[in-house]
Structure formats: C-alpha cells, structure tokens
Amino acid sequence: RKLFSYYANNCAVTGPNHQNALEAAHLYSYSEIGVHHNDGGLLLRRDIHRLFDTGLIAINPDTLRVDISRELQEIEAYKRLSDAPLLVELNQGQKRWISIHWKEYRR
C-alpha cells in the first residue's frame, strides 16, 4: 500500500497502468533476506516484476536506465524499453538495492 500511495499507479519502467497490473516488487531477494526494507521496493507491472526478479531486466545503477537481456531484445515490446530512463524518482536506499541487483545479474 505504501508504494501505491507514493507512486500512484505508475510502473517504474513502463509508466501509468491499471492497479491490477501492478505489483510491489522487492529490489532484493526477499526469500533470501526474509526482511522487508522500507526502501527496498518499487511498483512494477507484473511481467516486468517477474523479468526483474530473474535478471532478464535490470536497472543500470549509474544511469538509472533499463537494461534488457539479449534474450528479451528479440521481443519488440521489451526491446522498446531498452535504455529507457526510469519513470519514477528513487531514494538512496532504492539506488543501493538497484546496484546490488545489477552486480548480481550484470557482472
């Protein structure tokens, strides 16, 4: 609820959407850490959330632009997102989690 109140119905990657298409996404593996961090989430469209969780989509921590895996480059709907800027503001904690995610999936 906190993310919906902060970002309204805006996916950080694709922009405005219906609330039923959006999910509060952890920027880290909640199953590994087991703790909710106040600065550890973003609203993402459901498909983007899943692709982020698997590393097929990542956010470059230096540019805050979307990075699409080679595999997704073959799908036009995702290819269009390649190198797009994030559409929401991030706080320092979110940027730190984005950086950790980047190191895990884009070494």
Side-chain angles (χ1 to χ4, degrees), residues 76-94:
E76 188 58 38
Y78 297 118
K79 184 177 180 178
R80 277 184 267 150
L81 299 174
S82 183
D83 203 38
L86 280 187
L87 301 174
V88 298
E89 297 281 327
L90 299 184
N91 64 40
Q92 288 304 314
Q94 289 168 311

Side-chain angles (χ1 to χ4, degrees), residues 39 90-98:
D39 59 359
L90 299 184
N91 64 40
Q92 288 304 314
Q94 289 168 311
K95 290 176 183 177
R96 183 174 57 84
W97 289 116
I98 291 283

